[in-house]
């Protein structure tokens, strides 16, 4: 029998890559119109305000750093302030991330590993198990973080541009932190790598200290510029309260003894039908450490995986989209396994030589087939319902359209609940900075203060429309939550508003009543009331 031809094998690997990337691209393009979920609504609304010249934390409060808001503002300035525009931006960010993973895999191992890692990430990152169709901040963390990682691997190359690469690497890691605070763990990973690399070359304080200082300067610069801009905009106090003071409270709500249970439950849901790829990554870690040629690269990737896992841990919430932070390391380790297997069968007969490629193709096909209903069968609207049951993301579009049609550009609106996407769709300013109400329900010391502030802001602004969301996922009310906001809302709406709309959300369908609210409804569980201010 004829032995495997290297050129034919290379062509086969690139053919697999084109097929996988083509499928993922087709999925993302087909589902560009899937309605925004809460986080996307927050980022879109804050980005919309920035495009209007309104700084973060002035009309919208939240725990996140403003980098993700700026990223959304840039995307919307290019592609438009629409659902399609936002998801087109995500598509490009995802594609750039895939390219960086290929470059990392090729640099650390070889082109086969790079292709395998890139295809693994493409499939894993589009999965509904990590909410991969939504433009979460974690997607925007990984793009600059991986760019910084690639540059830091080139720091010790000969040439005068080494310090420039080091500063640029720090700059990219600094931008990653602005997208989401847990990205700071990637900064720590990069700094440790720099120190260990210098130790390996022979301890030279005169070389290490300048490198660390230059890298640190790059990391700090974006944060420093952000603080200066927010200070000049007059919102630094609000920024500090939400991202530092409240963040400390938010991060201490989940008790440590519950962390393992939450972690393993979330991990099981995230892995799902992709279990073979995760096992492949584990094999890559073991085989890579065993192989002398791959040992250094594998140790680097295990370190990346460790610090990526640490980035999941702040607050012990372990939400599914947080796992996007570890997908690059998992994909690269899977690439290491495929690279090692390819080495073992190199020069063998054709069927054996193509075995690693066919094995990976089979593993990649399983999660795609598992989610084929979402990927290929249903409409973007129906896909939203399948991925986010018991959430009013689809209903938010029609509610916002009605409110926009019945208000002027200078009118304000208020949402009693955590549905910031309504403000974005309606293109109307919020009467209160509390675009989320979760913090009002939490067992943290600022909860009562926040409730009082939200009440005062709404009473002062006198919004033309008030949207009351009676759904558990919009409040996450606890048995020990302060009920003051609900008592106030009942009294305030009775005195100042009339019901002008009603949306009854049922498992199979949603009934909309605009301008003609029925006195009674037979089935009532999840619903939204739309109030109009009395003239």
């Amino acid at each position: 029998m004829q032995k495997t031809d290297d050129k034919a094998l290379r062509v086969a690997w690139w053919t697999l890559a084109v097929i996988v990337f083509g499928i993922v691209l087709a999925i993302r393009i087909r589902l560009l119109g899937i309605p925004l979920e809460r986080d996307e609504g927050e980022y879109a609304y804050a980005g919309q305000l920035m495009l209007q010249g309104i700084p973060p934390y002035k009309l919208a409060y939240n725990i996140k750093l403003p980098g993700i808001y700026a990223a959304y503002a840039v995307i919307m300035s290019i592609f438009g302030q629409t659902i399609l525009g936002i998801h087109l931006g995500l598509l490009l960010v995802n594609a750039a991330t895939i390219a960086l993973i290929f470059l990392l895999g090729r640099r650390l191992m070889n082109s086969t590993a790079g292709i395998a890692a890139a295809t693994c990430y493409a499939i894993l990152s589009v999965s509904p198990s990590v909410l991969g169709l939504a433009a979460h901040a974690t997607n925007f963390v990984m793009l600059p973080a991986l760019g910084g990682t690639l540059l830091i691997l080139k720091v010790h190359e000969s040439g005068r541009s080494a310090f420039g690469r080091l500063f640029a690497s720090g700059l990219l890691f600094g931008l990653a932190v602005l997208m989401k605070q847990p990205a700071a763990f990637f900064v720590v990973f990069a700094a440790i790598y720099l120190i260990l690399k210098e130790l390996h070359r022979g301890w030279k304080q005169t070389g290490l200290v300048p490198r660390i200082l230059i890298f640190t300067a790059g990391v700090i610069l974006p944060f420093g510029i952000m603080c200066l801009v927010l200070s000049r905009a007059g919102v630094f106090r609000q920024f500090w309260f939400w991202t530092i003071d409240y963040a400390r409270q938010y991060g201490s709500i989940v008790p440590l003894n519950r962390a393992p249970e939450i972690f393993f439950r979330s991990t099981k849901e995230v892995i799902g039908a992709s279990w073979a790829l995760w096992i492949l990554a584990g094999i890559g870690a073991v085989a890579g450490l065993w192989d002398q040629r791959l040992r250094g690269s594998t140790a680097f990737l295990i370190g990346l995986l460790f610090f990526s896992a640490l980035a999941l841990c702040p607050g012990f919430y372990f939400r599914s989209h947080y796992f996007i932070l570890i997908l690059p390391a998992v994909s690269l380790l899977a690439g290491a396994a495929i690279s090692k297997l390819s080495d073992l069968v190199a020069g063998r007969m054709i069927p054996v030589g193509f075995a690693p490629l066919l094995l990976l193709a089979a593993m990649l096909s399983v999660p795609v087939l598992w989610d084929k209903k979402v990927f290929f069968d249903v409409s973007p609207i129906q896909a939203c319902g399948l991925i986010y049951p018991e959430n009013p993301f689809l209903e938010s579009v029609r509610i916002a359209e009605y409110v926009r049609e019945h208000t002027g550009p200078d009118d304000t609106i208020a949402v009693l609940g955590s549905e910031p996407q309504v403000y974005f769709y309606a293109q109307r300013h919020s009467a209160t900075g509390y675009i989320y109400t979760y913090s009002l329900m939490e067992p943290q010391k600022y909860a009562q203060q926040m409730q009082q502030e939200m009440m005062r802001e709404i009473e002062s602004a006198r919004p033309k429309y008030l949207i009351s969301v009676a759904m558990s996922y919009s409040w996450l009310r606890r048995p020990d939550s302060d009920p003051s906001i609900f008592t106030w809302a009942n009294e305030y709406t009775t005195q100042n508003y009339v019901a002008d709309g009603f949306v009854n959300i049922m498992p199979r369908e949603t009934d909309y009543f605009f301008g003609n609210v029925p006195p009674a409804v037979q089935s009532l569980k999840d619903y939204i009331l739309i109030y109009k201010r009395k003239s």
Side-chain angles (χ1 to χ4, degrees):
M1 291 182 67
Q2 187 179 0
K3 291 186 178 181
T4 306
D5 182 82
D6 289 343
K7 185 176 180 181
L9 194 56
R10 285 198 300 271
V11 170
W13 274 110
W14 281 108
T15 301
L16 175 65
V18 170
I19 292 171
V20 171
F21 300 149
I23 290 172
V24 171
L25 182 63
I27 291 169
R28 289 196 178 276
I29 290 176
R30 198 184 79 81
L31 296 173
L32 283 176
I34 191 170
L36 303 182
E37 47 95 89
R38 286 187 188 91
D39 282 7
E40 291 179 295
E42 172 205 340
Y43 309 150
Y45 177 55
Q48 188 179 69
L49 292 176
M50 290 181 73
L51 292 175
Q52 297 169 6
I54 300 170
Y57 313 105
K58 184 173 184 179
L59 294 183
Y61 311 145
N62 200 252
I63 193 173
K64 301 179 187 74
L65 293 176
I68 185 61
Y69 305 150
Y72 263 64
V74 170
I75 287 171
M76 292 189 296
S77 69
I78 298 171
F79 301 115
Q81 298 180 35
T82 63
I83 295 172
L84 292 177
I86 290 167
H87 289 154
L88 183 57
L90 170 64
L91 186 154
L92 295 178
V93 167
N94 182 255
T97 305
I98 290 170
L100 285 174
I101 289 173
F102 165 74
L103 294 174
L104 279 167
R106 185 177 66 177
R107 180 173 184 82
L108 289 167
M109 291 162 285
N110 52 40
S111 292
T112 299
I115 292 172
T119 54
C120 286
Y121 182 80
I123 295 298
L124 291 172
S125 64
V126 79
S127 173
S129 67
V130 294
L131 306 182
L133 296 168
H136 281 285
T138 43
N139 291 287
F140 293 82
V141 165
M142 292 319 303
L143 181 59
L146 291 174
T149 302
L150 185 61
L151 282 177
I152 211 166
L153 286 170
K154 298 181 177 182
V155 164
H156 292 93
E157 289 181 352
S158 60
R160 296 182 179 181
S161 59
F163 284 119
R165 292 193 198 103
L166 193 59
F167 180 77
S169 176
L171 200 64
L172 287 170
F173 280 112
L175 289 174
V177 172
L178 291 193
M179 298 298 166
K180 197 174 178 70
Q181 291 95 319
F185 287 101
F186 294 106
V187 177
V188 176
F189 167 71
I192 292 174
Y193 170 78
L194 279 174
I195 294 170
L196 292 178
K197 191 72 174 179
E198 198 66 30
L199 286 173
H200 181 71
R201 296 174 69 208
W203 180 266
K204 294 179 181 179
Q205 189 174 0
T206 55
L208 176 62
V209 173
R211 289 177 186 276
I212 292 296
L213 289 176
I214 291 171
F215 176 75
T216 303
V219 171
I220 292 175
L221 183 61
F223 189 84
I225 292 173
M226 176 204 68
C227 289
L228 180 62
V229 170
L230 294 177
S231 180
R232 290 180 64 87
V235 293
F236 187 81
R237 182 182 63 82
Q238 296 95 310
F239 155 75
W240 189 266
F241 171 77
W242 282 96
T243 63
I244 304 297
D245 295 336
Y246 167 64
R248 281 197 290 261
Q249 294 292 312
Y250 178 76
S252 62
I253 291 173
V254 178
L256 179 61
N257 61 1
R258 285 202 60 211
E261 172 200 346
I262 299 171
F263 173 76
F264 287 115
R265 182 176 68 244
S266 298
T267 301
K268 181 180 178 181
E269 293 173 357
V270 165
I271 292 176
S274 304
W275 58 269
L277 295 175
W278 288 75
I279 290 176
L280 188 65
I283 294 172
V286 175
L289 290 176
W290 189 268
D291 187 302
Q292 187 174 0
R293 181 181 64 84
L294 294 175
R295 190 170 299 152
S297 297
T298 306
F300 179 87
L301 292 176
I302 291 173
L304 177 61
L305 177 63
F306 175 74
F307 282 93
S308 300
L310 288 180
L312 291 176
C313 294
F316 305 126
Y317 291 98
F318 302 114
R319 296 191 174 98
S320 55
H321 58 278
Y322 292 3
F323 284 79
I324 290 173
L325 296 171
I326 69 172
L327 294 186
V330 169
S331 299
L332 286 162
L333 286 170
I338 292 295
S339 177
K340 177 60 179 175
L341 183 58
S342 297
D343 289 344
L344 291 175
V345 300
R348 303 289 182 90
M349 299 303 178
I350 288 179
V352 179
F354 279 84
L357 184 148
L358 297 174
L359 175 65
L360 181 62
M363 290 179 171
L364 293 172
S365 66
V366 173
V368 175
L369 294 174
W370 180 266
D371 288 311
K372 67 182 180 66
K373 185 173 183 179
V374 171
F375 290 156
F376 306 115
D377 296 344
V378 301
S379 69
I381 300 300
Q382 293 168 319
C384 181
L386 291 173
I387 299 171
Y388 306 102
E390 300 183 74
N391 284 283
F393 301 151
L394 171 60
E395 290 77 12
S396 295
V397 178
R398 286 193 61 179
I399 292 169
E401 287 175 354
Y402 179 79
V403 170
R404 185 173 64 251
E405 291 168 358
H406 291 79
T407 57
D410 296 330
D411 290 323
T412 61
I413 63 174
V415 178
L416 295 178
S418 304
E419 309 301 338
Q421 67 277 6
V422 172
Y423 297 115
F424 171 70
Y425 293 140
Q427 299 177 20
R428 297 292 180 263
H429 288 176
S430 53
T432 172
Y434 289 90
I435 59 175
Y436 287 109
T437 51
Y438 296 136
S439 57
L440 281 60
M441 300 290 103
E442 293 166 351
Q444 46 92 10
K445 70 177 184 179
Y446 297 115
Q448 189 176 47
Q449 168 191 323
M450 290 174 170
Q451 289 199 18
Q452 295 299 322
E453 187 174 13
M454 183 177 184
M455 296 175 204
R456 288 195 302 270
E457 289 177 349
I458 292 176
E459 290 175 352
S460 175
R462 301 181 69 243
K464 186 170 183 179
Y465 273 86
L466 194 151
I467 301 155
S468 179
V469 185
M471 301 183 71
S472 60
Y473 284 132
S474 197
W475 287 90
L476 295 183
R477 186 176 181 179
R478 305 160 187 255
D480 57 347
S481 294
D482 185 347
S484 300
I485 188 75
F486 301 107
T487 303
W488 167 85
N490 289 333
E491 296 175 354
Y492 182 72
T493 53
T494 300
Q495 294 173 5
N496 300 281
Y497 289 81
V498 293
D500 192 50
F502 174 70
V503 178
N504 187 30
I505 303 172
M506 295 175 286
R508 294 182 178 273
E509 61 180 342
T510 298
D511 292 328
Y512 296 88
F513 304 93
F514 293 122
N516 183 24
V517 180
V521 176
Q522 287 184 348
S523 176
L524 189 63
K525 178 188 175 185
D526 295 325
Y527 63 93
I528 300 173
L529 274 167
I530 305 164
Y531 295 98
K532 182 179 180 180
R533 193 179 68 235
K534 296 177 181 177
S535 56

